[in-house]
Amino acid sequence: MIAVTPLPLKSLHESAADLAVLCFEDAGPAGVKALPAKEKAALAAALKAEGFKGGAKEVARVEFEAFGRRRRVWAVGLGKRRSATSETFRRAAGALLGAVRAKRSALAVLCAEHPQAVAEGLALASYKYEEYKKEDADALTAAHLLIQDAASRGALEKACAKAALAAEAVALARDLVNRGPSDKTPKSLADLAETFKGAGVSVTVIDKKKAEELGMGSFLGVARGSAQPPAMVHMVYTPKAATKKRVAIVGKGITFDSGGLSLKPAASMEDMKCDMAGAAAVIAVFKVIARLAPKAEVHGIFAATYNMPGPDAYKPGDVLKAMNGKTIEVWNTDAEGRLALADALCLAVKQEPQAIVDMATLTGAVVVALGSKVTGLMGNDRRLVAQISGAAKRADEPVCELPLVADYKENIKGNIAELLNISKVKGEAGSIIAGLFLQEFVDGRPWVHLDIAGTAFWSGDGPYGPKGGTGQPVRTLLEWLAAL
Ligand code: BES
Ligand code: MN
Ligand code: ZN
């Protein structure tokens, strides 16, 4: 991944970097005011000659005398000014990176609006997954945002620093999601978490034996079918300044979801290495949390286990008991995420946080309802729902709230235990049912659940990243934590 750093406009004289401008369809290049008159006129003439309109995704390359040398200049369209948002700029930066990466070694982007989004777009688009094979090397090694005047310097520096932090976290989440399932055992994820120890972060790994002692029967039930032992990981970030604020982020970490004895068909299993994306988001946040330095104590918990149909696998009809004493009748071993999360949420509740946010690739139903571009959000507290929705909006990671309709609780009442792990009524409100199930384990604390089954992993390339793990909802979490 490339670094995006600020560069004073004047320094372009000493640099052979290509110049880039982002252009509105109806208002010309953004931030063009900063250009000297000669460069401004040359740019306008060159873009006109090229027939460049500035429509969204349009990319043009021109060449003219600029800042002391004949220089390549890239123009990327933003569409109409009124409809342009921070996401428009992030995507334009992604498109620009895609056009330039193979050709040029350095790029300097004229950027007056949404600098953080532009820096993120450039960095995230340059991400490659290379744990198993090297991709063709990029020519591009550095990208800059141009500082236009002394007044904007601080803001631009801050934007680049925030973007670098977000990109680093997202890249780790993507790497972990993209990794082959046998290469990301619960133990290896726990070991990775332990490397974050120090500088405000402590880590406790709850192994199988400790989980038994703590009564995590729901999580352990899922783990029974796998030869690899499970791990419940608990990280804590403590800020330097004393605080009464305490929050928990909780991730589903199914390192592969075969469905267990309720085995998935082959096609449905293909992408199930992504079933630990919630845990990946928690791990990614903790990689950078000391540098993010939120003003709250943050607990990061993830429940890592395979869901396999091994010889001792849990079976439909089994009754599991979670850490809070609730009993659960298992009707389908493929509804395992909510079982693993039940104990992770109980552990979160024990920390007495004022807010709990969980992330989980929980239901295929959320993909039916919202597709791959919108995360399903559910919650029991209007204030927290508003906070997380706001953070998601600022991060441009779309969410849509689904209602936790209490009437549906009837559908998960057990015959011989308190709860069922799937609904008695087939084909209805699958994501809400899963949310209602999770709600049974938060003990009434403010809580939001993000169902990322559609958004965490894409089978096609995105506007600023390759197919595979997307890193969602890492940037939303960073936005939320930074604002606490
Ligand atoms: N991990 C899956 C959900 C999933 C589906 C994630 C597609 C990513 C993409 C989850 O454990 C699961 O299997 N859910 C079942 C629940 C059902 C048995 C009630 C589902 O959605 O079919
Ligand atoms: Mn499943
Ligand atoms: Zn699953």
Side-chain angles (χ1 to χ4, degrees):
M1 215 169 48
I2 56 156
V4 183
T5 53
L7 182 78
L9 196 58
K10 281 191 224 110
S11 308
L12 255 190
H13 284 283
E14 288 95 61
S15 162
D18 282 16
L19 181 63
V21 290
L22 309 176
C23 300
F24 295 112
E25 202 175 317
D26 50 354
V32 76
K33 277 198 300 250
L35 290 182
K38 191 176 119 262
E39 276 78 1
K40 214 186 299 180
L43 174 65
L47 291 182
K48 190 162 179 225
E50 190 69 16
F52 179 80
K53 296 269 186 304
K57 288 191 191 147
E58 197 181 342
V59 181
R61 199 192 77 198
V62 294
E63 213 176 294
F64 54 86
E65 187 79 16
F67 298 95
R69 72 189 73 205
R70 205 169 163 76
R71 201 182 287 272
R72 267 194 205 167
V73 181
W74 302 80
V76 187
L78 294 165
K80 294 238 164 43
R81 163 148 230 149
R82 273 191 56 186
S83 51
T85 64
S86 44
E87 179 67 2
T88 313
F89 280 79
R90 195 180 284 102
R91 290 183 185 200
L96 173 63
L97 195 286
V100 177
R101 68 192 304 170
K103 300 188 180 76
R104 311 295 291 173
S105 65
L107 180 69
V109 185
L110 189 67
C111 173
E113 290 164 64
H114 303 297
Q116 189 185 336
V118 172
E120 282 174 2
L122 292 168
L124 292 174
S126 77
Y127 167 87
K128 289 187 225 167
Y129 181 61
E130 297 188 299
E131 289 185 329
Y132 300 108
K133 74 169 158 114
K134 286 272 167 277
E135 301 282 327
D136 294 339
D138 283 341
L140 195 73
T141 55
H144 305 287
L145 300 193
L146 288 167
I147 304 169
Q148 308 182 3
D149 48 45
S152 64
R153 182 182 195 114
L156 217 66
E157 280 170 351
K158 228 178 177 170
C160 285
K162 281 168 96 176
L165 206 71
E168 180 181 342
V170 167
L172 176 59
R174 287 178 177 178
D175 277 350
L176 293 174
V177 169
N178 289 335
R179 190 174 294 171
S182 294
D183 294 334
K184 50 184 172 193
T185 60
K187 164 112 176 43
S188 76
L189 297 183
D191 288 346
L192 173 59
E194 290 205 295
T195 65
F196 304 149
K197 269 185 190 167
V201 177
S202 68
V203 182
T204 311
V205 177
I206 298 168
D207 62 10
K208 182 164 170 254
K209 198 167 146 268
K210 271 193 243 147
E212 279 164 0
E213 286 162 18
L214 288 167
M216 296 180 165
S218 186
F219 171 56
L220 289 168
V222 177
R224 274 175 50 190
S226 171
Q228 289 290 334
M232 180 75 79
V233 179
H234 180 190
M235 300 175 276
V236 187
Y237 166 76
T238 313
K240 283 205 184 92
T243 176
K244 290 204 169 69
K245 282 189 194 166
R246 192 181 302 131
V247 303
I249 55 176
V250 178
K252 169 178 173 181
I254 301 298
T255 44
F256 184 73
D257 182 10
S258 72
L261 284 173
S262 311
L263 197 66
K264 285 182 186 292
S268 311
M269 226 187 272
E270 274 170 16
D271 294 334
M272 280 306 129
K273 67 174 184 180
C274 82
D275 216 18
M276 38 59 76
V282 175
I283 294 169
V285 165
F286 268 76
K287 180 167 190 215
V288 302
I289 200 162
R291 281 172 282 157
L292 184 75
K295 294 190 184 76
E297 182 177 306
V298 184
H299 292 256
I301 294 170
F302 65 88
T305 177
Y306 291 96
N307 182 26
M308 299 292 286
D312 194 39
Y314 77 139
K315 302 151 191 77
D318 275 347
V319 175
L320 307 175
K321 189 191 247 181
M323 200 177 163
N324 65 353
K326 289 198 182 176
T327 55
I328 308 154
E329 222 173 306
V330 177
W331 278 14
N332 188 317
T333 64
D334 197 13
E336 85 299 337
R338 63 199 75 182
L339 297 172
L341 277 174
D343 282 322
L345 290 169
C346 288
L347 181 62
V349 166
K350 279 217 155 172
Q351 318 309 316
E352 303 185 352
Q354 292 114 14
I356 302 173
V357 179
D358 82 68
M359 284 77 58
T361 45
L362 206 60
T363 64
V366 85
V367 192
V368 176
L370 301 175
S372 62
K373 302 295 156 75
V374 182
T375 287
L377 179 151
M378 285 149 259
N380 62 357
D381 181 271
R382 295 323 301 164
R383 218 178 118 232
L384 187 59
V385 166
Q387 269 185 25
I388 299 298
S389 304
K393 181 101 194 84
R394 296 197 296 281
D396 293 311
E397 293 184 321
V399 297
C400 177
E401 186 178 6
L402 301 175
L404 289 171
V405 182
D407 279 348
Y408 296 151
K409 284 192 199 170
E410 196 55 37
N411 300 2
I412 48 170
K413 283 214 170 113
N415 291 346
I416 62 165
E418 288 164 273
L419 292 164
L420 297 178
N421 81 325
I422 59 166
S423 174
K424 279 178 237 182
V425 185
K426 302 278 166 263
E428 275 188 29
S431 304
I432 294 172
I433 289 284
L436 286 168
F437 182 93
L438 296 180
Q439 191 174 10
E440 296 293 321
F441 301 91
V442 299
D443 201 25
R445 289 195 176 260
W447 153 80
V448 157
H449 159 58
L450 297 172
D451 193 335
I452 54 171
T455 51
F457 188 91
W458 287 348
S459 49
D461 291 348
Y464 36 84
K467 62 172 169 279
T470 63
Q472 290 193 61
V474 169
R475 289 188 296 105
T476 296
L477 291 173
L478 296 178
E479 280 288 341
W480 176 58
L481 293 172
L484 284 175

